[in-house]
Every structure is written in C-alpha cells, then in structure tokens.
Amino acid sequence: MISDNLLKQIAFIKEIDKVKYIQRKTKLFNSDRNENDAEHSWHLAIMAVVLAEHSNENIDVLKVIKMLLIHDIVEIDAGDTFIYDTQKNHTNTDEERLAANRIFGLLPEAQAEELIEIWEEFEAGETKEAKFAKSMDRLEPLLQNTSNNGGTWAEFGVDYDKVFNKKKVIKEGSEVIWDYAENLINESVDKGILKKI
Amino acid sequence: MISDNLLKQIAFIKEIDKVKYIQRKTKLFNSDRNENDAEHSWHLAIMAVVLAEHSNENIDVLKVIKMLLIHDIVEIDAGDTFIYDTQKNHTNTDEERLAANRIFGLLPEAQAEELIEIWEEFEAGETKEAKFAKSMDRLEPLLQNTSNNGGTWAEFGVDYDKVFNKKKVIKEGSEVIWDYAENLINESVDKGILKKI
C-alpha cells in the first residue's frame, strides 16, 4: 500500500516541473539566453546559503531557502510579471493566490498550509527571513544585468530611479549587500549602461 | 569598503551560473527537452522539503538541501556522466575532486571547506542525510523516464537489472519511497517501457 501522502506529494512534484518552462525577462550571466524560474530559484537558494552571514538579523536559513525554492511556483498559473512592468503589479495578485491554492493544494493538507504560509510570508516581505529572501531576489538580476551591458534595463528602457527604488529593499535584508549593490548601480550609471535622467 | 568575503562569494555566485548550461541525459516530464543541472538541483531540493517525512531516519533537512543544491556544481569542470555509462564511473573521480577544489575554492576558506565536506559526504553516501539526498537524486529521473515512455532507458537500451541496481539505493534513504519506486519499475516492465531480459 502506497501512502496517500506520498501520492499527493508525487503529484505536486510532477506539477512543478512546469516551472522549468517559465521564462524570465533577465538573461543568464554574460549571455543572451533567458533564465527560467527553476534556474533562478536554484541560484537564489544557493546565494542564501553562501550570503546568510551578511543578513542584518540572525535568520532561519532553512526557512529562507524554502521561500526561495517555492517563490515562483505560482507563476505556473499566473505567469511571470516583469518587475518593471507598468501595467501589472507584481505583488500578491488574486491570480497568484488562486494559483498558490491550486498548486500547493496538491500536497497533503498540513504541508499545503505550511507552504502557502511561507509563500505569503515571502510576498508580504515583513519578517527577517522574507526580507533576506527578497534581497536575494533583487540581487541576482542586478548581477546579471551588469554582466550583460545593462541587460533588461537597456532592453526595456528602465532608468536609474526605477532601478534604485526596486533594489533599495536589499538594504532591509542586508546593509552589507546593499552597500555592494548600490555601488554596482552607481558604477552602471558611470559606465553608461544605466540611464540617470 | 566591500568586505573581502562578499567579493569572494559574488565570484562564486557568478561562476556557478554555468551549471545552467550542463545538459543531463534525462528529459523533463512528458517532454523531449533535456533537463539541465540547475533545474534538476532545484527540483531535488524541493523534493527533499516535501518528502522528508518519509526518511528512514530523522534528518537535518537543511543539510540535505545544501547537498542537493550543490551536488552537481563540480560538473562545470568535470561534465555530466550518464549514470548508466559503462566507460566512465560516476563516483568521486579525481577530476570531480579537482573541480570541487577550484569552484568551492572561490569562496572564503571556511565556507569552501564546509561545502567541499558536504559534497564529499553526499558522494560517499554513508550518512543518513547523504542517503536521503541520494534517494532524491535517483527518484527524479525514475519519475521522468516513466512519464516519457521509458525515456533514457529506451534511448540507451538500459534494462531492468541495471535500473533496479541503480535505484535500489533509494531504500537506504526511505523504505516508503522505495516501495513506491519498485512498484513503478515493475509497472514499467509490464507496460513494455523497460526491458527485462
């Protein structure tokens, strides 16, 4: 007899394979190949492992990693929203919440509840773990764009003010990483790969 | 002043982007698109999160996740070795060890040592965490191949005995998951997508 829990978990594991098909706007490092959500989530999870020491507060790294591994799963139904999209707000749309209920709902009840809660916590960005996780999510594309001659900033005409406003939340997770990131943003202006109007 | 640790960590984070280009032999679920190592590692890490309750022993889930996130990084230098390759042994080649030293060696010393140790522990497969991590690594391609009409088994003429011998280590990590996996292997023979000679 195969346990009912296991069968539900396997159904979830099969479903989330679709995350590998969701293309982000950002490209891989020094590359013109778009990154997908699974690759992105893997990278952020490792970044959290190696950068945890720079968090402003003592964090539960396992919780941060869980957040990062699952944070884009809702995009299976809701699609990827470009962070600089002016038409559609990225955060906590009803569409994303429906997606979370459907996809995490494939799991056994207690587990579904735990992961939906972790996802909501990430989206709200208020706890120390969510703040650090968000700082990872903002840092990776900054590293990518600076390696790609401006990347999505150049491609979609995003200027310094917009970048600065989106990136400054890094500071809430890590002052140390924000110092580095702010420096990188200013350097990008100097190099002419980010426009300051 | 940006800390020396952070600069080393950023160098590592940039280097491991290459994992996204390493193609595995196995294909995504119900697909003819090859999986890459980053996608694979992401999937295994989430599998560990949702399947941990089935481990034979109480495990440190954070350690298992770290193992799974980093287990294929050495392939940046050493390349992916097909698990049923008859020419080249997959485990712990000198080439892989050199790769581990070079790539994890980009990190601050203590962190490099920690991750090399975790990678060695995974490769040795002797601790309860390594056993559970290995069971995840064996389960994912089994699920993929059964979703793909035999997948790499059919493509490379791998028979039941070889599959059984590689997959049976799942039992060391989880008897519960092994029951499910063994069942799936037997069903595959019945369906004619895995040859039993």
Side-chain angles (χ1 to χ4, degrees):
Chain A
M1 270 295 294
I2 309 296
S3 88
D4 189 46
N5 270 13
L6 180 55
L7 292 178
K8 286 178 176 171
Q9 287 151 346
I10 296 284
F12 173 78
I13 287 163
K14 289 182 180 174
E15 177 66 17
I16 64 170
D17 196 64
K18 295 174 185 164
V19 170
K20 298 168 190 169
Y21 293 97
I22 304 169
Q23 300 292 307
R24 290 166 52 77
K25 291 282 184 291
T26 38
K27 309 278 202 290
L28 301 187
F29 286 74
N30 306 299
S31 170
D32 59 1
R33 203 265 269 166
N34 285 72
E35 185 177 47
N36 68 53
D37 275 348
E39 297 168 329
H40 165 65
S41 303
W42 166 80
H43 215 148
L44 300 192
I46 296 205
M47 286 168 62
V49 170
V50 304
L51 298 176
E53 67 180 89
H54 304 298
S55 172
N56 292 339
E57 296 180 78
N58 229 326
I59 42 171
D60 174 349
V61 177
L62 177 57
K63 197 190 214 184
V64 172
I65 293 175
K66 284 183 184 178
M67 281 178 182
L68 293 170
L69 289 174
I70 67 164
H71 79 293
D72 276 342
I73 284 180
V74 295
E75 296 186 357
I76 289 175
D77 291 350
D80 177 52
T81 305
F82 185 42
I83 192 166
Y84 300 108
D85 195 316
T86 50
Q87 304 297 314
K88 196 175 168 185
N89 195 328
H90 176 73
T91 44
N92 261 358
T93 60
D94 292 345
E95 203 182 356
E96 286 189 344
R97 207 164 262 134
L98 271 173
N101 289 336
R102 182 188 74 75
I103 303 164
F104 296 120
L106 295 169
L107 289 164
E109 203 175 326
Q111 207 161 41
E113 278 170 18
E114 185 208 341
L115 292 189
I116 290 172
E117 214 165 275
I118 285 180
W119 172 75
E120 293 272 12
E121 184 178 331
F122 171 80
E123 289 289 317
E126 284 163 8
T127 64
K128 57 191 181 171
E129 280 80 16
K131 284 176 184 168
F132 191 74
K134 291 245 175 215
S135 69
M136 299 297 99
D137 196 27
R138 293 291 188 276
L139 178 62
E140 191 219 23
L142 176 61
L143 297 175
Q144 289 167 325
N145 280 343
T146 49
S147 83
N148 284 327
N149 250 329
T152 56
W153 304 331
E155 191 178 349
F156 300 99
V158 181
D159 67 24
Y160 170 86
D161 286 346
K162 282 186 187 150
V163 170
F164 189 90
N165 280 327
K166 286 293 180 192
K167 298 301 180 191
K168 71 183 181 199
V169 301
I170 292 176
K171 194 174 184 175
E172 294 181 34
S174 167
E175 304 255 359
V176 174
I177 297 174
W178 172 242
D179 279 352
Y180 173 80
E182 193 180 10
N183 204 41
L184 213 55
I185 294 169
N186 289 331
E187 262 181 30
S188 301
V189 173
D190 294 343
K191 281 185 188 160
I193 61 173
L194 177 62
K195 273 192 194 152
K196 194 169 183 173
I197 309 167
Chain B
M1 270 294 294
I2 308 298
S3 88
D4 189 47
N5 269 14
L6 180 56
L7 291 178
K8 286 179 176 170
Q9 288 151 346
I10 297 283
F12 173 78
I13 287 164
K14 288 181 181 175
E15 176 66 18
I16 64 171
D17 196 63
K18 294 174 184 164
V19 170
K20 298 169 191 169
Y21 293 97
I22 305 170
Q23 299 292 308
R24 292 168 49 78
K25 290 282 185 291
T26 38
K27 309 278 202 290
L28 302 186
F29 287 74
N30 308 298
S31 172
D32 59 2
R33 205 265 268 166
N34 285 72
E35 186 177 46
N36 69 52
D37 275 349
E39 297 167 331
H40 167 65
S41 302
W42 167 79
H43 216 149
L44 300 192
I46 296 206
M47 285 167 63
V49 170
V50 303
L51 298 177
E53 67 181 89
H54 304 298
S55 172
N56 292 338
E57 295 179 78
N58 229 325
I59 44 171
D60 174 349
V61 177
L62 177 57
K63 196 190 215 184
V64 172
I65 292 175
K66 284 184 184 177
M67 283 180 180
L68 293 170
L69 290 174
I70 66 163
H71 80 293
D72 276 342
I73 285 179
V74 295
E75 297 186 358
I76 288 174
D77 291 351
D80 177 54
T81 305
F82 186 42
I83 192 166
Y84 300 107
D85 196 314
T86 51
Q87 306 293 316
K88 195 175 170 185
N89 194 328
H90 175 74
T91 45
N92 261 359
T93 60
D94 292 344
E95 203 182 356
E96 285 189 343
R97 206 164 263 132
L98 273 174
N101 289 336
R102 182 188 76 76
I103 304 163
F104 296 120
L106 295 169
L107 289 164
E109 203 174 327
Q111 206 162 39
E113 278 172 18
E114 185 209 339
L115 292 189
I116 290 172
E117 214 166 275
I118 284 181
W119 173 74
E120 292 273 11
E121 184 179 331
F122 171 79
E123 288 291 315
E126 282 163 10
T127 63
K128 58 191 181 170
E129 280 81 16
K131 284 175 185 170
F132 191 74
K134 290 246 174 216
S135 70
M136 298 298 99
D137 197 27
R138 293 291 188 277
L139 178 62
E140 193 220 21
L142 176 60
L143 297 176
Q144 289 167 324
N145 280 343
T146 49
S147 84
N148 283 328
N149 250 328
T152 56
W153 305 332
E155 192 178 350
F156 300 100
V158 181
D159 67 22
Y160 169 87
D161 286 347
K162 283 185 185 148
V163 171
F164 189 90
N165 280 327
K166 287 291 180 192
K167 298 301 179 191
K168 71 184 180 199
V169 301
I170 292 175
K171 194 174 183 172
E172 293 182 35
S174 168
E175 303 255 359
V176 174
I177 297 175
W178 173 242
D179 281 351
Y180 173 79
E182 192 180 13
N183 203 42
L184 213 53
I185 295 170
N186 290 331
E187 262 180 30
S188 300
V189 173
D190 294 343
K191 283 186 188 161
I193 61 173
L194 177 62
K195 271 192 194 152
K196 193 168 185 172
I197 307 167

